[in-house]
């Protein structure tokens, strides 16, 4: 799967950009503030309707314009798919695929699966459980067609249960209706997550065996409640606390991937460089498992590669990306440093884009 064309209008400093990326390797270079990250953001907007820098859409629209649009053409096993997103300052938005409006952003995300490696990626180790839960759910979403509907239903049940818990007088029969549904959906979601996690773990351990610090590293899935108890039992046990606090304390909304080294949190034990590589290994694993389970490829975007890793580790990441044989977009300030790790891979079709002041001033 690859992005064959990308047209961007009025996204940050990119007033008008139209490129035809390589299906292989795209290296985007230019000075700080030239617009490199904005190009990656444009691709992200096409997949998820928003930036990876946060949900604020207004910051994404060029300051002198009322709206922005991103258009792309994706080549997939099923053929070519045109995608389009437009968003305006006053809140209007339109998302299109195959020339038709799509009602749910999940539809877009399914058409353009992306993995981003940037400085925020390290939150995967240091951030709250929600970061790791979203990471796992990315995979579950892309491999289990029924996941998204189940996840939405679970959110609705939790919201209803919480609102009942906050009332002065709790109506037992009403509570039980929502709990019964919540229990059934939680079971479903937990099973889907456990299956995806098992596939993930297997590939991950093969990959990290390639570097030494894998010694004693374990990943485990916490489903969101005590492993020795069934969820109905947990809801009974925690009822008093939940009703006092007004929310559901245990459940699938608390799931996490625990990353440990000999019993300690990986973030506390590993050096910064090792943490970066561990995160990269997790992101690469996602792509491998995704390809294995769906027969499709996801696109990788690596923002400011030279700045994030030393030379040795840059080479290792590029070797992994190369083995995935998928479309990649990598940014950096210096052309030479960006190109160096790809020089020993003559079979890859490499395209270079030089960005300056929001314009592509050179392609080769
Ligand atoms: N809403 C906006 N309108 C116009 N320019 C913007 C807006 N938001 C950010 N910029 C500018 O866009 C430029 C490109 O940013 P970015 O893509 O992050 O650069 P790079 O990744 O090349 O360092 C920056 O100079 C920034 O000041
Ligand atoms: Mg940048």
């Amino acid at each position: 799967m690859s992005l064959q064309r990308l047209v961007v209008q009025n996204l940050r400093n990119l007033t008008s950009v139209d490129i035809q990326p390589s299906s292989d390797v795209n290296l985007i270079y230019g000075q700080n503030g030239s617009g490199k990250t904005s190009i990656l953001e444009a691709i992200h907007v096409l997949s998820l309707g928003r930036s990876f820098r946060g949900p604020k859409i207004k910051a994404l629209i060029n300051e002198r314009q009322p709206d922005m649009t991103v258009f792309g053409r994706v080549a997939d096993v099923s053929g070519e798919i045109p995608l389009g997103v437009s968003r305006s300052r006053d809140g209007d938005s339109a998302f299109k695929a195959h020339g038709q409006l799509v009602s749910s952003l999940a539809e877009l995300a399914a058409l353009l699966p992306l993995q981003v490696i940037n400085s925020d990626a390290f939150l995967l180790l240091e951030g709250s459980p929600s970061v790791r839960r979203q990471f796992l759910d990315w995979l579950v979403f892309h491999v289990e067609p029924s996941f998204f509907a189940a996840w939405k239903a679970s959110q609705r049940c939790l919201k209803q249960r919480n609102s009942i818990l906050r009332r002065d007088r709790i109506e037992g029969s009403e509570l039980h209706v929502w709990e019964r549904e919540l229990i059934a959906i939680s079971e479903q979601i937990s099973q889907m997550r456990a299956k995806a996690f098992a596939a993930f773990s297997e590939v991950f351990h093969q990959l990290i065996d390639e570097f030494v610090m894998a010694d004693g590293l374990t990943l485990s899935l916490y489903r969101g409640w005590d492993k020795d108890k069934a969820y109905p039992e947990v809801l009974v046990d925690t009822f008093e606390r939940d009703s006092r606090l007004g929310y559901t304390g245990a459940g699938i909304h608390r799931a996490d991937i625990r990353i440990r080294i000999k019993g300690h949190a990986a973030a506390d034990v590993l050096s910064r460089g090792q943490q970066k590589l561990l995160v990269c290994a997790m992101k690469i694993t996602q792509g491998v498992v995704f390809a294995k389970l769906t027969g499709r490829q996801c696109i990788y975007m690596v923002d400011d590669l030279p700045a994030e890793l030393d030379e040795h580790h840059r080479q290792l990441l590029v070797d992994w990306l190369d083995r995935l044989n998928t479309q990649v977009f990598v940014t950096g300030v210096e052309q030479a440093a960006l190109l160096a790790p790809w020089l020993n891979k003559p079979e890859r079709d490499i395209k270079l884009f030089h960005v300056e002041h929001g314009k592509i001033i050179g392609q080769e």
Side-chain angles (χ1 to χ4, degrees), residues 154-266:
S154 74
Q155 298 299 105
R156 194 180 62 231
C157 290
L158 280 166
K159 212 171 133 194
Q160 293 289 346
R161 182 176 191 262
N162 292 344
S163 94
I164 295 169
L165 289 173
R166 284 190 205 113
R167 289 184 202 152
D168 294 335
R169 260 200 53 217
I170 295 174
E171 197 67 63
S173 58
E174 199 188 347
L175 187 71
H176 288 139
V177 171
W178 289 109
E179 285 188 345
R180 210 175 314 131
E181 194 178 337
L182 182 62
I183 287 163
I185 293 168
S186 299
E187 193 55 44
Q188 240 181 309
I189 289 179
S190 284
Q191 275 175 15
M192 287 191 255
R193 280 180 176 158
K195 207 169 131 202
F197 179 75
F200 179 89
S201 297
E202 195 191 325
V203 171
F204 178 74
H205 285 290
Q206 288 162 8
L207 196 72
I208 55 150
D209 275 348
E210 291 174 23
F211 51 101
V212 270
M213 61 87 168
D215 200 26
L217 180 72
T218 57
L219 292 193
S220 58
L221 176 64
Y222 171 64
R223 61 184 171 166
W225 65 89
D226 190 333
K227 66 176 173 20
D228 300 322
K229 285 187 186 165
Y231 194 46
E233 196 186 335
V234 172
L235 286 180
V236 172
D237 291 353
T238 55
F239 173 76
E240 217 161 88
R241 186 180 169 276
D242 286 358
S243 54
R244 194 161 17 90
L245 298 173
Y247 67 85
T248 306
I252 46 159
H253 57 299
R254 287 295 163 87
D256 193 3
I257 297 178
R258 299 204 162 141
I259 308 165
R260 295 221 164 90
I261 293 180
K262 295 179 182 143
H264 301 284

Side-chain angles (χ1 to χ4, degrees), residues 12-248:
R12 293 198 196 276
N13 72 338
L14 308 178
T15 46
S16 176
V17 162
D18 185 348
I19 57 171
Q20 290 177 15
S22 161
S23 311
D24 257 6
V25 180
N26 298 280
L27 305 178
I28 302 163
Y29 67 98
Q31 290 177 354
N32 286 327
S34 56
K36 305 177 297 294
T37 301
S38 301
I39 293 178
L40 303 188
E41 284 192 287
I43 299 171
H44 198 269
V45 164
L46 207 51
S47 170
L48 289 149
R50 58 174 172 77
S51 162
F52 47 71
R53 288 199 255 204
K56 287 193 203 130
I57 200 71
K58 280 182 191 156
L60 211 57
I61 301 171
N62 183 279
E63 59 200 358
R64 297 203 198 92
Q65 302 294 332
D67 48 33
M68 52 154 263
T69 60
V70 185
F71 168 81
R73 198 173 279 282
V74 174
D76 204 345
V77 278
S78 58
E80 289 226 333
I81 311 159
L83 300 177
V85 170
S86 67
R87 308 216 47 172
S88 80
R89 233 168 245 295
D90 47 27
D92 288 343
S93 56
F95 307 103
K96 281 187 177 179
H98 300 286
Q100 310 269 329
L101 283 175
V102 298
S103 51
S104 151
L105 277 175
E107 251 179 87
L108 279 189
L111 294 170
L112 187 58
L114 282 185
Q115 282 295 327
V116 183
I117 298 176
N118 61 9
S119 50
D120 288 345
F122 307 112
L123 289 173
L124 203 46
L125 296 183
E126 293 165 351
S128 68
S130 69
V131 182
R132 288 174 294 279
R133 197 160 56 240
Q134 278 168 25
F135 176 80
L136 178 61
D137 284 349
W138 180 92
L139 187 60
V140 187
F141 169 80
H142 284 289
V143 303
E144 295 279 1
S146 61
F147 173 73
F148 186 61
W151 181 83
K152 271 203 312 199
S154 74
Q155 298 299 105
R156 194 180 62 231
C157 290
L158 280 166
K159 212 171 133 194
Q160 293 289 346
R161 182 176 191 262
N162 292 344
S163 94
I164 295 169
L165 289 173
R166 284 190 205 113
R167 289 184 202 152
D168 294 335
R169 260 200 53 217
I170 295 174
E171 197 67 63
S173 58
E174 199 188 347
L175 187 71
H176 288 139
V177 171
W178 289 109
E179 285 188 345
R180 210 175 314 131
E181 194 178 337
L182 182 62
I183 287 163
I185 293 168
S186 299
E187 193 55 44
Q188 240 181 309
I189 289 179
S190 284
Q191 275 175 15
M192 287 191 255
R193 280 180 176 158
K195 207 169 131 202
F197 179 75
F200 179 89
S201 297
E202 195 191 325
V203 171
F204 178 74
H205 285 290
Q206 288 162 8
L207 196 72
I208 55 150
D209 275 348
E210 291 174 23
F211 51 101
V212 270
M213 61 87 168
D215 200 26
L217 180 72
T218 57
L219 292 193
S220 58
L221 176 64
Y222 171 64
R223 61 184 171 166
W225 65 89
D226 190 333
K227 66 176 173 20
D228 300 322
K229 285 187 186 165
Y231 194 46
E233 196 186 335
V234 172
L235 286 180
V236 172
D237 291 353
T238 55
F239 173 76
E240 217 161 88
R241 186 180 169 276
D242 286 358
S243 54
R244 194 161 17 90
L245 298 173
Y247 67 85
T248 306

Side-chain angles (χ1 to χ4, degrees), residues 327-342:
Q327 188 181 34
V328 297
F329 292 84
V330 191
T331 71
V333 177
E334 298 289 340
Q335 181 194 339
L338 205 53
L339 197 53
W342 296 95

